[in-house]
């Protein structure tokens, strides 16, 4: 037990990286996905095609390959594209990947709102952007929370991939401890830590969903 307790500080240090990367990636992904979702719904066929192509590419290729390309591949194209900061490289790859999945979530939520509300808004003299900001988006929020929460948890667990570029997340720290101590017991507190973090954020999203359900 004492041995396991001695590993906790290092694992908590890795947990900070895991949580921070997830929060930053999902936040950036949400911003990007808003533009992509509106682009997909745009009347411009060319813009819609570009946005759909982006989504198709990042959903159709493995996140690990995207991470490797950002960190190892870009420097092969040009030295000016070299990203020495591992966290920054992981953030870029995860944000771009997350944006693709969130785009489809947001698009589906927006399209789920009754079209009659658009017509009613036009009859009241509201512009498209006023309709989206005041009518459509507020109603879409509750429908967005569960799938966005699921995507957040998926990214939280997929963050373990960054250990392959030597970023010291929970998984990398766990492997380092296991390698230096030759004890596989370290996987027990590591998995428990993942469960605790997942449970906390699952609760947060549940509370958010419950709160916004009052307004629907």
């Amino acid at each position: 037990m004492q041995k396991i307790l001695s590993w906790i500080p290092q694992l908590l240090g890795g947990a900070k990286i895991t949580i921070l990367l997830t929060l930053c990636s999902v936040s950036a992904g949400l911003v990007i996905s808003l533009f992509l979702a509106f682009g997909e719904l745009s009347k411009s066929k060319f813009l819609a095609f570009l946005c759909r192509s982006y989504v198709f590419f990042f959903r159709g290729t493995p996140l690990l390959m995207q991470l490797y390309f950002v960190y190892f591949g870009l420097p092969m194209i040009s030295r000016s594209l070299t990203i020495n900061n591992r966290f920054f490289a992981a953030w870029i790859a995860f944000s771009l990947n997350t944006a693709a999945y969130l785009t489809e979530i947001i698009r589906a939520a927006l399209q789920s709102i009754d079209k009659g509300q658009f017509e009613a808004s036009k009859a009241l003299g509201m512009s498209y952007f006023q309709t989206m900001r005041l009518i459509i988006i507020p109603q879409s929020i509750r429908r967005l929370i569960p799938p966005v929460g699921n995507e957040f948890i998926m990214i939280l667990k997929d963050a373990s991939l960054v250990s392959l570029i030597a970023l010291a997340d929970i998984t990398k720290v766990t492997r380092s401890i296991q390698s230096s101590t030759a004890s596989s017991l370290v996987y027990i507190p590591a998995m428990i830590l993942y469960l605790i973090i997942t449970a906390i954020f699952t609760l947060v999203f549940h509370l958010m969903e419950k709160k916004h359900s009052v307004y629907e």
Side-chain angles (χ1 to χ4, degrees), residues 7-20 167-171 173-174 177 193 197:
W7 298 329
I8 299 301
Q10 296 178 65
L11 292 172
L12 289 177
K16 290 180 182 179
I17 297 296
T18 297
I19 294 172
L20 184 60
L167 183 59
D169 71 319
I170 299 175
T171 301
V173 171
T174 301
I177 294 173
L193 186 56
I197 296 172

Side-chain angles (χ1 to χ4, degrees), residues 143-193:
R143 303 180 186 189
L144 282 171
I145 292 174
V148 169
N150 289 336
E151 179 64 17
F152 186 95
I153 299 303
M154 288 296 296
I155 293 298
L156 183 67
K157 291 185 290 185
D158 285 345
S160 61
L161 293 174
V162 301
S163 64
L164 298 175
I165 61 169
L167 183 59
D169 71 319
I170 299 175
T171 301
K172 173 60 177 176
V173 171
T174 301
R175 290 170 61 188
S176 296
I177 294 173
Q178 193 276 332
S179 179
S180 61
T181 63
S183 174
S184 296
L185 289 176
V186 68
Y187 289 107
I188 296 176
M191 288 189 290
I192 292 174
L193 186 56

Side-chain angles (χ1 to χ4, degrees), residues 53-75:
S53 298
Y54 174 98
V55 172
F56 176 76
F57 176 82
F58 281 97
R59 292 183 67 186
T61 56
L63 175 55
L64 180 58
M65 284 192 177
Q66 295 164 20
L67 178 61
Y68 277 162
F69 177 75
V70 171
Y71 190 66
F72 297 113
L74 289 180

Side-chain angles (χ1 to χ4, degrees), residues 33-42 102-118 128 131-144 147:
S33 62
L34 281 172
F35 291 99
L36 290 171
F38 284 118
E40 281 193 338
L41 298 174
S42 171
L102 292 178
T103 295
E104 293 302 283
I105 292 172
I106 293 174
R107 180 189 58 77
L110 293 175
Q111 290 184 319
S112 69
I113 305 300
D114 194 293
K115 292 183 179 180
Q117 298 196 37
F118 282 97
Y128 175 80
T131 301
M132 295 301 294
R133 182 170 62 88
L134 300 174
I135 306 297
I136 306 302
I137 292 179
Q139 294 184 72
S140 303
I141 289 177
R142 182 179 182 273
R143 303 180 186 189
L144 282 171

